[in-house]
PDB file of all heavy atoms in Angstrom:
ATOM      1  N   ASN A   1       3.211 -12.238 -16.358  1.00  0.00           N
ATOM      2  CA  ASN A   1       3.586 -13.293 -15.447  1.00  0.00           C
ATOM      3  C   ASN A   1       4.527 -12.782 -14.378  1.00  0.00           C
ATOM      4  O   ASN A   1       4.691 -13.391 -13.365  1.00  0.00           O
ATOM      5  CB  ASN A   1       4.176 -14.439 -16.177  1.00  0.00           C
ATOM      6  CG  ASN A   1       3.181 -15.198 -17.026  1.00  0.00           C
ATOM      7  OD1 ASN A   1       1.997 -15.173 -16.728  1.00  0.00           O
ATOM      8  ND2 ASN A   1       3.637 -15.878 -18.070  1.00  0.00           N
ATOM      9  N   ASP A   2       5.241 -11.667 -14.694  1.00  0.00           N
ATOM     10  CA  ASP A   2       6.198 -11.074 -13.730  1.00  0.00           C
ATOM     11  C   ASP A   2       5.583 -10.157 -12.714  1.00  0.00           C
ATOM     12  O   ASP A   2       6.272  -9.642 -11.847  1.00  0.00           O
ATOM     13  CB  ASP A   2       7.321 -10.372 -14.490  1.00  0.00           C
ATOM     14  CG  ASP A   2       8.214 -11.239 -15.347  1.00  0.00           C
ATOM     15  OD1 ASP A   2       8.342 -12.438 -14.981  1.00  0.00           O
ATOM     16  OD2 ASP A   2       8.767 -10.829 -16.400  1.00  0.00           O
ATOM     17  N   ILE A   3       4.303  -9.909 -12.829  1.00  0.00           N
ATOM     18  CA  ILE A   3       3.602  -8.956 -11.921  1.00  0.00           C
ATOM     19  C   ILE A   3       3.275  -9.695 -10.580  1.00  0.00           C
ATOM     20  O   ILE A   3       2.707 -10.714 -10.556  1.00  0.00           O
ATOM     21  CB  ILE A   3       2.348  -8.423 -12.579  1.00  0.00           C
ATOM     22  CG1 ILE A   3       2.699  -7.611 -13.801  1.00  0.00           C
ATOM     23  CG2 ILE A   3       1.532  -7.599 -11.532  1.00  0.00           C
ATOM     24  CD1 ILE A   3       1.459  -7.050 -14.514  1.00  0.00           C
ATOM     25  N   LYS A   4       3.757  -9.008  -9.513  1.00  0.00           N
ATOM     26  CA  LYS A   4       3.554  -9.627  -8.181  1.00  0.00           C
ATOM     27  C   LYS A   4       2.546  -8.726  -7.458  1.00  0.00           C
ATOM     28  O   LYS A   4       2.687  -7.468  -7.371  1.00  0.00           O
ATOM     29  CB  LYS A   4       4.827  -9.644  -7.406  1.00  0.00           C
ATOM     30  CG  LYS A   4       4.705 -10.109  -5.941  1.00  0.00           C
ATOM     31  CD  LYS A   4       6.080 -10.149  -5.250  1.00  0.00           C
ATOM     32  CE  LYS A   4       5.913 -10.582  -3.792  1.00  0.00           C
ATOM     33  NZ  LYS A   4       7.246 -10.486  -3.112  1.00  0.00           N
ATOM     34  N   VAL A   5       1.471  -9.304  -6.889  1.00  0.00           N
ATOM     35  CA  VAL A   5       0.447  -8.520  -6.163  1.00  0.00           C
ATOM     36  C   VAL A   5       0.918  -8.360  -4.739  1.00  0.00           C
ATOM     37  O   VAL A   5       1.194  -9.364  -4.016  1.00  0.00           O
ATOM     38  CB  VAL A   5      -0.891  -9.266  -6.193  1.00  0.00           C
ATOM     39  CG1 VAL A   5      -1.949  -8.488  -5.345  1.00  0.00           C
ATOM     40  CG2 VAL A   5      -1.448  -9.471  -7.633  1.00  0.00           C
ATOM     41  N   LEU A   6       1.152  -7.149  -4.304  1.00  0.00           N
ATOM     42  CA  LEU A   6       1.587  -6.787  -2.954  1.00  0.00           C
ATOM     43  C   LEU A   6       0.438  -6.669  -2.014  1.00  0.00           C
ATOM     44  O   LEU A   6       0.570  -6.992  -0.826  1.00  0.00           O
ATOM     45  CB  LEU A   6       2.387  -5.560  -2.981  1.00  0.00           C
ATOM     46  CG  LEU A   6       3.632  -5.494  -3.889  1.00  0.00           C
ATOM     47  CD1 LEU A   6       4.363  -4.208  -3.784  1.00  0.00           C
ATOM     48  CD2 LEU A   6       4.592  -6.672  -3.628  1.00  0.00           C
ATOM     49  N   ALA A   7      -0.709  -6.230  -2.491  1.00  0.00           N
ATOM     50  CA  ALA A   7      -1.841  -6.027  -1.657  1.00  0.00           C
ATOM     51  C   ALA A   7      -3.115  -6.039  -2.543  1.00  0.00           C
ATOM     52  O   ALA A   7      -3.050  -5.595  -3.682  1.00  0.00           O
ATOM     53  CB  ALA A   7      -1.801  -4.775  -0.828  1.00  0.00           C
ATOM     54  N   SER A   8      -4.206  -6.555  -2.082  1.00  0.00           N
ATOM     55  CA  SER A   8      -5.456  -6.643  -2.853  1.00  0.00           C
ATOM     56  C   SER A   8      -6.639  -6.229  -1.972  1.00  0.00           C
ATOM     57  O   SER A   8      -6.470  -6.066  -0.761  1.00  0.00           O
ATOM     58  CB  SER A   8      -5.622  -8.078  -3.381  1.00  0.00           C
ATOM     59  OG  SER A   8      -5.729  -9.018  -2.415  1.00  0.00           O
ATOM     60  N   GLY A   9      -7.791  -6.033  -2.570  1.00  0.00           N
ATOM     61  CA  GLY A   9      -8.952  -5.673  -1.783  1.00  0.00           C
ATOM     62  C   GLY A   9      -8.904  -4.239  -1.329  1.00  0.00           C
ATOM     63  O   GLY A   9      -9.616  -3.889  -0.389  1.00  0.00           O
ATOM     64  N   LEU A  10      -8.116  -3.370  -1.974  1.00  0.00           N
ATOM     65  CA  LEU A  10      -7.929  -1.977  -1.575  1.00  0.00           C
ATOM     66  C   LEU A  10      -9.045  -1.141  -2.152  1.00  0.00           C
ATOM     67  O   LEU A  10      -9.695  -1.443  -3.168  1.00  0.00           O
ATOM     68  CB  LEU A  10      -6.582  -1.487  -2.036  1.00  0.00           C
ATOM     69  CG  LEU A  10      -5.399  -2.325  -1.610  1.00  0.00           C
ATOM     70  CD1 LEU A  10      -4.096  -1.760  -2.273  1.00  0.00           C
ATOM     71  CD2 LEU A  10      -5.213  -2.277  -0.094  1.00  0.00           C
ATOM     72  N   GLY A  11      -9.310  -0.014  -1.515  1.00  0.00           N
ATOM     73  CA  GLY A  11     -10.346   0.951  -1.993  1.00  0.00           C
ATOM     74  C   GLY A  11      -9.834   2.060  -2.808  1.00  0.00           C
ATOM     75  O   GLY A  11      -9.495   3.102  -2.420  1.00  0.00           O
ATOM     76  N   PHE A  12      -9.642   1.752  -4.126  1.00  0.00           N
ATOM     77  CA  PHE A  12      -9.127   2.672  -5.170  1.00  0.00           C
ATOM     78  C   PHE A  12      -7.793   3.219  -4.714  1.00  0.00           C
ATOM     79  O   PHE A  12      -7.629   4.371  -4.387  1.00  0.00           O
ATOM     80  CB  PHE A  12     -10.107   3.798  -5.424  1.00  0.00           C
ATOM     81  CG  PHE A  12     -10.070   4.413  -6.763  1.00  0.00           C
ATOM     82  CD1 PHE A  12     -10.995   4.111  -7.754  1.00  0.00           C
ATOM     83  CD2 PHE A  12      -8.979   5.186  -7.199  1.00  0.00           C
ATOM     84  CE1 PHE A  12     -10.922   4.614  -9.025  1.00  0.00           C
ATOM     85  CE2 PHE A  12      -8.879   5.725  -8.452  1.00  0.00           C
ATOM     86  CZ  PHE A  12      -9.856   5.472  -9.362  1.00  0.00           C
ATOM     87  N   PRO A  13      -6.786   2.375  -4.802  1.00  0.00           N
ATOM     88  CA  PRO A  13      -5.399   2.846  -4.367  1.00  0.00           C
ATOM     89  C   PRO A  13      -4.779   3.772  -5.379  1.00  0.00           C
ATOM     90  O   PRO A  13      -4.999   3.668  -6.574  1.00  0.00           O
ATOM     91  CB  PRO A  13      -4.630   1.516  -4.269  1.00  0.00           C
ATOM     92  CG  PRO A  13      -5.324   0.592  -5.260  1.00  0.00           C
ATOM     93  CD  PRO A  13      -6.777   0.973  -5.235  1.00  0.00           C
ATOM     94  N   GLU A  14      -4.016   4.693  -4.836  1.00  0.00           N
ATOM     95  CA  GLU A  14      -3.270   5.654  -5.643  1.00  0.00           C
ATOM     96  C   GLU A  14      -2.059   6.102  -4.844  1.00  0.00           C
ATOM     97  O   GLU A  14      -1.859   5.797  -3.709  1.00  0.00           O
ATOM     98  CB  GLU A  14      -4.082   6.856  -6.098  1.00  0.00           C
ATOM     99  CG  GLU A  14      -5.175   6.492  -7.081  1.00  0.00           C
ATOM    100  CD  GLU A  14      -5.451   7.666  -8.061  1.00  0.00           C
ATOM    101  OE1 GLU A  14      -4.617   8.510  -8.237  1.00  0.00           O
ATOM    102  OE2 GLU A  14      -6.593   7.646  -8.627  1.00  0.00           O
ATOM    103  N   GLY A  15      -1.196   6.918  -5.475  1.00  0.00           N
ATOM    104  CA  GLY A  15      -0.143   7.585  -4.831  1.00  0.00           C
ATOM    105  C   GLY A  15       0.955   6.752  -4.128  1.00  0.00           C
ATOM    106  O   GLY A  15       1.321   7.098  -3.055  1.00  0.00           O
ATOM    107  N   PRO A  16       1.489   5.676  -4.766  1.00  0.00           N
ATOM    108  CA  PRO A  16       2.454   4.890  -4.034  1.00  0.00           C
ATOM    109  C   PRO A  16       3.753   5.602  -3.843  1.00  0.00           C
ATOM    110  O   PRO A  16       4.292   6.317  -4.740  1.00  0.00           O
ATOM    111  CB  PRO A  16       2.645   3.668  -4.999  1.00  0.00           C
ATOM    112  CG  PRO A  16       2.290   4.184  -6.356  1.00  0.00           C
ATOM    113  CD  PRO A  16       1.215   5.196  -6.144  1.00  0.00           C
ATOM    114  N   VAL A  17       4.381   5.413  -2.657  1.00  0.00           N
ATOM    115  CA  VAL A  17       5.661   5.948  -2.309  1.00  0.00           C
ATOM    116  C   VAL A  17       6.510   4.859  -1.712  1.00  0.00           C
ATOM    117  O   VAL A  17       6.115   4.225  -0.746  1.00  0.00           O
ATOM    118  CB  VAL A  17       5.529   7.116  -1.341  1.00  0.00           C
ATOM    119  CG1 VAL A  17       6.960   7.641  -0.872  1.00  0.00           C
ATOM    120  CG2 VAL A  17       4.703   8.324  -1.860  1.00  0.00           C
ATOM    121  N   VAL A  18       7.684   4.573  -2.309  1.00  0.00           N
ATOM    122  CA  VAL A  18       8.564   3.547  -1.776  1.00  0.00           C
ATOM    123  C   VAL A  18       9.427   4.090  -0.730  1.00  0.00           C
ATOM    124  O   VAL A  18      10.099   5.098  -0.880  1.00  0.00           O
ATOM    125  CB  VAL A  18       9.430   2.936  -2.964  1.00  0.00           C
ATOM    126  CG1 VAL A  18      10.329   1.786  -2.411  1.00  0.00           C
ATOM    127  CG2 VAL A  18       8.547   2.469  -4.062  1.00  0.00           C
ATOM    128  N   MET A  19       9.404   3.422   0.458  1.00  0.00           N
ATOM    129  CA  MET A  19      10.192   3.882   1.572  1.00  0.00           C
ATOM    130  C   MET A  19      11.505   3.095   1.751  1.00  0.00           C
ATOM    131  O   MET A  19      11.670   2.029   1.125  1.00  0.00           O
ATOM    132  CB  MET A  19       9.386   3.718   2.873  1.00  0.00           C
ATOM    133  CG  MET A  19       7.957   4.381   2.799  1.00  0.00           C
ATOM    134  SD  MET A  19       8.053   6.122   2.596  1.00  0.00           S
ATOM    135  CE  MET A  19       8.345   6.638   4.276  1.00  0.00           C
ATOM    136  N   LYS A  20      12.430   3.622   2.563  1.00  0.00           N
ATOM    137  CA  LYS A  20      13.764   3.010   2.724  1.00  0.00           C
ATOM    138  C   LYS A  20      13.693   1.614   3.234  1.00  0.00           C
ATOM    139  O   LYS A  20      14.520   0.755   2.886  1.00  0.00           O
ATOM    140  CB  LYS A  20      14.595   3.900   3.587  1.00  0.00           C
ATOM    141  CG  LYS A  20      16.072   3.486   3.769  1.00  0.00           C
ATOM    142  CD  LYS A  20      16.842   4.448   4.635  1.00  0.00           C
ATOM    143  CE  LYS A  20      18.262   4.075   4.738  1.00  0.00           C
ATOM    144  NZ  LYS A  20      19.084   5.038   5.536  1.00  0.00           N
ATOM    145  N   ASP A  21      12.740   1.326   4.089  1.00  0.00           N
ATOM    146  CA  ASP A  21      12.640  -0.042   4.644  1.00  0.00           C
ATOM    147  C   ASP A  21      12.002  -1.065   3.750  1.00  0.00           C
ATOM    148  O   ASP A  21      11.758  -2.209   4.184  1.00  0.00           O
ATOM    149  CB  ASP A  21      11.853   0.032   6.047  1.00  0.00           C
ATOM    150  CG  ASP A  21      10.444   0.531   5.883  1.00  0.00           C
ATOM    151  OD1 ASP A  21       9.987   0.725   4.744  1.00  0.00           O
ATOM    152  OD2 ASP A  21       9.765   0.696   6.922  1.00  0.00           O
ATOM    153  N   GLY A  22      11.685  -0.667   2.527  1.00  0.00           N
ATOM    154  CA  GLY A  22      11.102  -1.603   1.541  1.00  0.00           C
ATOM    155  C   GLY A  22       9.612  -1.567   1.554  1.00  0.00           C
ATOM    156  O   GLY A  22       9.011  -2.286   0.740  1.00  0.00           O
ATOM    157  N   SER A  23       9.009  -0.844   2.488  1.00  0.00           N
ATOM    158  CA  SER A  23       7.549  -0.729   2.493  1.00  0.00           C
ATOM    159  C   SER A  23       7.058   0.183   1.418  1.00  0.00           C
ATOM    160  O   SER A  23       7.871   1.033   0.894  1.00  0.00           O
ATOM    161  CB  SER A  23       7.025  -0.306   3.869  1.00  0.00           C
ATOM    162  OG  SER A  23       7.450   1.032   4.135  1.00  0.00           O
ATOM    163  N   VAL A  24       5.789   0.102   1.069  1.00  0.00           N
ATOM    164  CA  VAL A  24       5.190   1.023   0.164  1.00  0.00           C
ATOM    165  C   VAL A  24       4.014   1.675   0.839  1.00  0.00           C
ATOM    166  O   VAL A  24       3.102   1.012   1.375  1.00  0.00           O
ATOM    167  CB  VAL A  24       4.648   0.335  -1.095  1.00  0.00           C
ATOM    168  CG1 VAL A  24       4.119   1.372  -2.093  1.00  0.00           C
ATOM    169  CG2 VAL A  24       5.853  -0.440  -1.770  1.00  0.00           C
ATOM    170  N   VAL A  25       3.980   3.039   0.882  1.00  0.00           N
ATOM    171  CA  VAL A  25       2.920   3.800   1.455  1.00  0.00           C
ATOM    172  C   VAL A  25       2.052   4.288   0.316  1.00  0.00           C
ATOM    173  O   VAL A  25       2.577   4.712  -0.733  1.00  0.00           O
ATOM    174  CB  VAL A  25       3.418   4.947   2.319  1.00  0.00           C
ATOM    175  CG1 VAL A  25       2.266   5.782   2.909  1.00  0.00           C
ATOM    176  CG2 VAL A  25       4.295   4.413   3.477  1.00  0.00           C
ATOM    177  N   PHE A  26       0.740   4.263   0.415  1.00  0.00           N
ATOM    178  CA  PHE A  26      -0.130   4.675  -0.621  1.00  0.00           C
ATOM    179  C   PHE A  26      -1.440   5.158  -0.031  1.00  0.00           C
ATOM    180  O   PHE A  26      -1.680   5.080   1.239  1.00  0.00           O
ATOM    181  CB  PHE A  26      -0.432   3.553  -1.598  1.00  0.00           C
ATOM    182  CG  PHE A  26      -0.900   2.260  -0.950  1.00  0.00           C
ATOM    183  CD1 PHE A  26      -2.261   2.031  -0.838  1.00  0.00           C
ATOM    184  CD2 PHE A  26      -0.020   1.363  -0.381  1.00  0.00           C
ATOM    185  CE1 PHE A  26      -2.781   0.919  -0.255  1.00  0.00           C
ATOM    186  CE2 PHE A  26      -0.498   0.245   0.243  1.00  0.00           C
ATOM    187  CZ  PHE A  26      -1.833   0.004   0.335  1.00  0.00           C
ATOM    188  N   VAL A  27      -2.346   5.707  -0.814  1.00  0.00           N
ATOM    189  CA  VAL A  27      -3.613   6.171  -0.319  1.00  0.00           C
ATOM    190  C   VAL A  27      -4.740   5.273  -0.861  1.00  0.00           C
ATOM    191  O   VAL A  27      -4.531   4.567  -1.820  1.00  0.00           O
ATOM    192  CB  VAL A  27      -3.889   7.658  -0.707  1.00  0.00           C
ATOM    193  CG1 VAL A  27      -2.794   8.530  -0.237  1.00  0.00           C
ATOM    194  CG2 VAL A  27      -4.167   7.808  -2.204  1.00  0.00           C
ATOM    195  N   GLU A  28      -5.892   5.312  -0.211  1.00  0.00           N
ATOM    196  CA  GLU A  28      -7.099   4.683  -0.639  1.00  0.00           C
ATOM    197  C   GLU A  28      -8.139   5.717  -0.697  1.00  0.00           C
ATOM    198  O   GLU A  28      -8.657   6.200   0.294  1.00  0.00           O
ATOM    199  CB  GLU A  28      -7.484   3.496   0.208  1.00  0.00           C
ATOM    200  CG  GLU A  28      -6.451   2.381   0.217  1.00  0.00           C
ATOM    201  CD  GLU A  28      -6.791   1.168   1.135  1.00  0.00           C
ATOM    202  OE1 GLU A  28      -7.800   0.559   0.806  1.00  0.00           O
ATOM    203  OE2 GLU A  28      -6.122   0.948   2.128  1.00  0.00           O
ATOM    204  N   LEU A  29      -8.508   6.065  -1.909  1.00  0.00           N
ATOM    205  CA  LEU A  29      -9.522   7.122  -2.109  1.00  0.00           C
ATOM    206  C   LEU A  29     -10.865   6.711  -1.506  1.00  0.00           C
ATOM    207  O   LEU A  29     -11.549   7.524  -0.818  1.00  0.00           O
ATOM    208  CB  LEU A  29      -9.750   7.422  -3.589  1.00  0.00           C
ATOM    209  CG  LEU A  29      -8.827   8.460  -4.258  1.00  0.00           C
ATOM    210  CD1 LEU A  29      -7.484   7.888  -4.513  1.00  0.00           C
ATOM    211  CD2 LEU A  29      -9.438   8.989  -5.536  1.00  0.00           C
ATOM    212  N   ASN A  30     -11.342   5.506  -1.799  1.00  0.00           N
ATOM    213  CA  ASN A  30     -12.563   5.004  -1.335  1.00  0.00           C
ATOM    214  C   ASN A  30     -12.332   4.373   0.072  1.00  0.00           C
ATOM    215  O   ASN A  30     -11.948   3.323   0.287  1.00  0.00           O
ATOM    216  CB  ASN A  30     -13.096   3.899  -2.232  1.00  0.00           C
ATOM    217  CG  ASN A  30     -14.492   3.515  -1.952  1.00  0.00           C
ATOM    218  OD1 ASN A  30     -15.081   3.951  -0.959  1.00  0.00           O
ATOM    219  ND2 ASN A  30     -15.107   2.654  -2.793  1.00  0.00           N
ATOM    220  N   GLY A  31     -12.538   5.257   1.033  1.00  0.00           N
ATOM    221  CA  GLY A  31     -12.253   4.907   2.466  1.00  0.00           C
ATOM    222  C   GLY A  31     -11.510   5.972   3.120  1.00  0.00           C
ATOM    223  O   GLY A  31     -11.464   6.073   4.356  1.00  0.00           O
ATOM    224  N   GLY A  32     -10.825   6.844   2.367  1.00  0.00           N
ATOM    225  CA  GLY A  32     -10.145   8.028   2.903  1.00  0.00           C
ATOM    226  C   GLY A  32      -9.051   7.676   3.934  1.00  0.00           C
ATOM    227  O   GLY A  32      -9.203   8.021   5.114  1.00  0.00           O
ATOM    228  N   LYS A  33      -8.024   7.042   3.471  1.00  0.00           N
ATOM    229  CA  LYS A  33      -6.937   6.671   4.391  1.00  0.00           C
ATOM    230  C   LYS A  33      -5.584   6.514   3.694  1.00  0.00           C
ATOM    231  O   LYS A  33      -5.486   6.368   2.489  1.00  0.00           O
ATOM    232  CB  LYS A  33      -7.288   5.383   5.144  1.00  0.00           C
ATOM    233  CG  LYS A  33      -7.586   4.179   4.204  1.00  0.00           C
ATOM    234  CD  LYS A  33      -8.209   3.058   4.966  1.00  0.00           C
ATOM    235  CE  LYS A  33      -8.705   1.952   4.017  1.00  0.00           C
ATOM    236  NZ  LYS A  33      -9.455   0.889   4.739  1.00  0.00           N
ATOM    237  N   VAL A  34      -4.503   6.639   4.509  1.00  0.00           N
ATOM    238  CA  VAL A  34      -3.156   6.366   4.044  1.00  0.00           C
ATOM    239  C   VAL A  34      -2.821   4.987   4.603  1.00  0.00           C
ATOM    240  O   VAL A  34      -2.973   4.755   5.805  1.00  0.00           O
ATOM    241  CB  VAL A  34      -2.202   7.422   4.563  1.00  0.00           C
ATOM    242  CG1 VAL A  34      -0.740   7.121   4.088  1.00  0.00           C
ATOM    243  CG2 VAL A  34      -2.554   8.804   4.084  1.00  0.00           C
ATOM    244  N   SER A  35      -2.366   4.104   3.697  1.00  0.00           N
ATOM    245  CA  SER A  35      -2.044   2.780   4.041  1.00  0.00           C
ATOM    246  C   SER A  35      -0.626   2.409   3.720  1.00  0.00           C
ATOM    247  O   SER A  35       0.061   3.119   3.046  1.00  0.00           O
ATOM    248  CB  SER A  35      -3.025   1.774   3.316  1.00  0.00           C
ATOM    249  OG  SER A  35      -4.359   2.212   3.596  1.00  0.00           O
ATOM    250  N   ARG A  36      -0.195   1.228   4.279  1.00  0.00           N
ATOM    251  CA  ARG A  36       1.195   0.770   3.995  1.00  0.00           C
ATOM    252  C   ARG A  36       1.185  -0.744   3.807  1.00  0.00           C
ATOM    253  O   ARG A  36       0.417  -1.493   4.477  1.00  0.00           O
ATOM    254  CB  ARG A  36       1.978   1.153   5.290  1.00  0.00           C
ATOM    255  CG  ARG A  36       3.478   0.813   5.162  1.00  0.00           C
ATOM    256  CD  ARG A  36       4.166   0.822   6.509  1.00  0.00           C
ATOM    257  NE  ARG A  36       3.942   1.931   7.254  1.00  0.00           N
ATOM    258  CZ  ARG A  36       4.764   3.041   7.331  1.00  0.00           C
ATOM    259  NH1 ARG A  36       5.913   3.024   6.561  1.00  0.00           N
ATOM    260  NH2 ARG A  36       4.514   4.042   8.044  1.00  0.00           N
ATOM    261  N   VAL A  37       2.046  -1.193   2.948  1.00  0.00           N
ATOM    262  CA  VAL A  37       2.377  -2.596   2.849  1.00  0.00           C
ATOM    263  C   VAL A  37       3.861  -2.724   3.132  1.00  0.00           C
ATOM    264  O   VAL A  37       4.700  -2.112   2.437  1.00  0.00           O
ATOM    265  CB  VAL A  37       2.039  -3.144   1.459  1.00  0.00           C
ATOM    266  CG1 VAL A  37       2.518  -4.597   1.342  1.00  0.00           C
ATOM    267  CG2 VAL A  37       0.518  -3.124   1.226  1.00  0.00           C
ATOM    268  N   ASP A  38       4.303  -3.529   4.126  1.00  0.00           N
ATOM    269  CA  ASP A  38       5.701  -3.628   4.449  1.00  0.00           C
ATOM    270  C   ASP A  38       6.370  -4.611   3.531  1.00  0.00           C
ATOM    271  O   ASP A  38       5.738  -5.255   2.678  1.00  0.00           O
ATOM    272  CB  ASP A  38       5.910  -3.936   5.916  1.00  0.00           C
ATOM    273  CG  ASP A  38       5.452  -5.298   6.339  1.00  0.00           C
ATOM    274  OD1 ASP A  38       5.263  -6.228   5.497  1.00  0.00           O
ATOM    275  OD2 ASP A  38       5.265  -5.571   7.532  1.00  0.00           O
ATOM    276  N   ALA A  39       7.688  -4.777   3.747  1.00  0.00           N
ATOM    277  CA  ALA A  39       8.446  -5.586   2.852  1.00  0.00           C
ATOM    278  C   ALA A  39       8.050  -7.126   2.900  1.00  0.00           C
ATOM    279  O   ALA A  39       8.405  -7.827   2.054  1.00  0.00           O
ATOM    280  CB  ALA A  39       9.949  -5.445   3.190  1.00  0.00           C
ATOM    281  N   GLN A  40       7.406  -7.469   3.978  1.00  0.00           N
ATOM    282  CA  GLN A  40       6.936  -8.858   4.135  1.00  0.00           C
ATOM    283  C   GLN A  40       5.535  -9.005   3.595  1.00  0.00           C
ATOM    284  O   GLN A  40       4.934 -10.105   3.697  1.00  0.00           O
ATOM    285  CB  GLN A  40       6.984  -9.273   5.602  1.00  0.00           C
ATOM    286  CG  GLN A  40       8.398  -9.504   6.133  1.00  0.00           C
ATOM    287  CD  GLN A  40       9.218  -8.239   6.339  1.00  0.00           C
ATOM    288  OE1 GLN A  40       8.742  -7.226   6.856  1.00  0.00           O
ATOM    289  NE2 GLN A  40      10.409  -8.219   5.862  1.00  0.00           N
ATOM    290  N   GLY A  41       4.930  -7.944   3.113  1.00  0.00           N
ATOM    291  CA  GLY A  41       3.580  -8.049   2.594  1.00  0.00           C
ATOM    292  C   GLY A  41       2.439  -7.785   3.543  1.00  0.00           C
ATOM    293  O   GLY A  41       1.300  -8.089   3.256  1.00  0.00           O
ATOM    294  N   VAL A  42       2.812  -7.316   4.755  1.00  0.00           N
ATOM    295  CA  VAL A  42       1.788  -7.095   5.792  1.00  0.00           C
ATOM    296  C   VAL A  42       1.150  -5.687   5.548  1.00  0.00           C
ATOM    297  O   VAL A  42       1.867  -4.698   5.477  1.00  0.00           O
ATOM    298  CB  VAL A  42       2.390  -7.169   7.190  1.00  0.00           C
ATOM    299  CG1 VAL A  42       1.324  -6.842   8.234  1.00  0.00           C
ATOM    300  CG2 VAL A  42       2.973  -8.570   7.415  1.00  0.00           C
ATOM    301  N   TYR A  43      -0.169  -5.697   5.456  1.00  0.00           N
ATOM    302  CA  TYR A  43      -0.992  -4.430   5.198  1.00  0.00           C
ATOM    303  C   TYR A  43      -1.315  -3.786   6.573  1.00  0.00           C
ATOM    304  O   TYR A  43      -1.719  -4.501   7.526  1.00  0.00           O
ATOM    305  CB  TYR A  43      -2.179  -4.788   4.457  1.00  0.00           C
ATOM    306  CG  TYR A  43      -3.242  -3.758   4.366  1.00  0.00           C
ATOM    307  CD1 TYR A  43      -3.184  -2.728   3.390  1.00  0.00           C
ATOM    308  CD2 TYR A  43      -4.246  -3.658   5.330  1.00  0.00           C
ATOM    309  CE1 TYR A  43      -4.170  -1.640   3.331  1.00  0.00           C
ATOM    310  CE2 TYR A  43      -5.221  -2.654   5.243  1.00  0.00           C
ATOM    311  CZ  TYR A  43      -5.171  -1.721   4.311  1.00  0.00           C
ATOM    312  OH  TYR A  43      -6.141  -0.667   4.286  1.00  0.00           O
ATOM    313  N   SER A  44      -1.239  -2.439   6.589  1.00  0.00           N
ATOM    314  CA  SER A  44      -1.731  -1.761   7.780  1.00  0.00           C
ATOM    315  C   SER A  44      -2.185  -0.358   7.319  1.00  0.00           C
ATOM    316  O   SER A  44      -1.848   0.107   6.255  1.00  0.00           O
ATOM    317  CB  SER A  44      -0.631  -1.598   8.832  1.00  0.00           C
ATOM    318  OG  SER A  44       0.478  -0.900   8.292  1.00  0.00           O
ATOM    319  N   VAL A  45      -3.031   0.270   8.173  1.00  0.00           N
ATOM    320  CA  VAL A  45      -3.504   1.641   7.863  1.00  0.00           C
ATOM    321  C   VAL A  45      -2.662   2.587   8.715  1.00  0.00           C
ATOM    322  O   VAL A  45      -2.602   2.481   9.944  1.00  0.00           O
ATOM    323  CB  VAL A  45      -4.971   1.717   8.264  1.00  0.00           C
ATOM    324  CG1 VAL A  45      -5.438   3.189   8.106  1.00  0.00           C
ATOM    325  CG2 VAL A  45      -5.846   0.818   7.338  1.00  0.00           C
ATOM    326  N   LEU A  46      -2.005   3.523   8.038  1.00  0.00           N
ATOM    327  CA  LEU A  46      -1.238   4.576   8.753  1.00  0.00           C
ATOM    328  C   LEU A  46      -2.153   5.576   9.411  1.00  0.00           C
ATOM    329  O   LEU A  46      -1.855   6.020  10.525  1.00  0.00           O
ATOM    330  CB  LEU A  46      -0.299   5.264   7.688  1.00  0.00           C
ATOM    331  CG  LEU A  46       0.599   6.334   8.252  1.00  0.00           C
ATOM    332  CD1 LEU A  46       1.514   5.746   9.353  1.00  0.00           C
ATOM    333  CD2 LEU A  46       1.417   6.898   7.122  1.00  0.00           C
ATOM    334  N   GLY A  47      -3.264   5.873   8.747  1.00  0.00           N
ATOM    335  CA  GLY A  47      -4.162   6.855   9.390  1.00  0.00           C
ATOM    336  C   GLY A  47      -5.255   7.265   8.470  1.00  0.00           C
ATOM    337  O   GLY A  47      -5.148   7.206   7.236  1.00  0.00           O
ATOM    338  N   PRO A  48      -6.385   7.758   9.031  1.00  0.00           N
ATOM    339  CA  PRO A  48      -7.462   8.307   8.190  1.00  0.00           C
ATOM    340  C   PRO A  48      -7.095   9.673   7.695  1.00  0.00           C
ATOM    341  O   PRO A  48      -6.285  10.423   8.243  1.00  0.00           O
ATOM    342  CB  PRO A  48      -8.652   8.331   9.132  1.00  0.00           C
ATOM    343  CG  PRO A  48      -8.012   8.599  10.479  1.00  0.00           C
ATOM    344  CD  PRO A  48      -6.678   7.837  10.492  1.00  0.00           C
TER     345      PRO A  48
END
C-alpha cells in the first residue's frame, strides 16, 4: 500500500538514477531512450 507509481506505460524501464532536483532519470529498453520523471511526476524523454 506504500508503493507510489511515479510513471506507467513505460517500455521495459531500468537503470533509475535519482537526481538532485528530485527527478529520476532511467532508460527504456523497449524503445531505446533515456527518460525522466520530475519531482511533480511529469514524464519526458531526455533523448534516444
Side-chain angles (χ1 to χ4, degrees):
N1 292 334
D2 293 333
I3 294 178
K4 178 182 179 181
V5 178
L6 303 180
S8 59
L10 306 172
F12 208 105
E14 292 212 23
V17 176
V18 181
M19 307 297 281
K20 186 177 183 179
D21 62 4
S23 65
V24 181
V25 179
F26 55 95
V27 305
E28 296 182 64
L29 274 77
N30 190 353
K33 53 192 173 186
V34 180
S35 305
R36 185 197 307 266
V37 175
D38 69 18
Q40 288 71 47
V42 177
Y43 167 86
S44 61
V45 175
L46 181 59

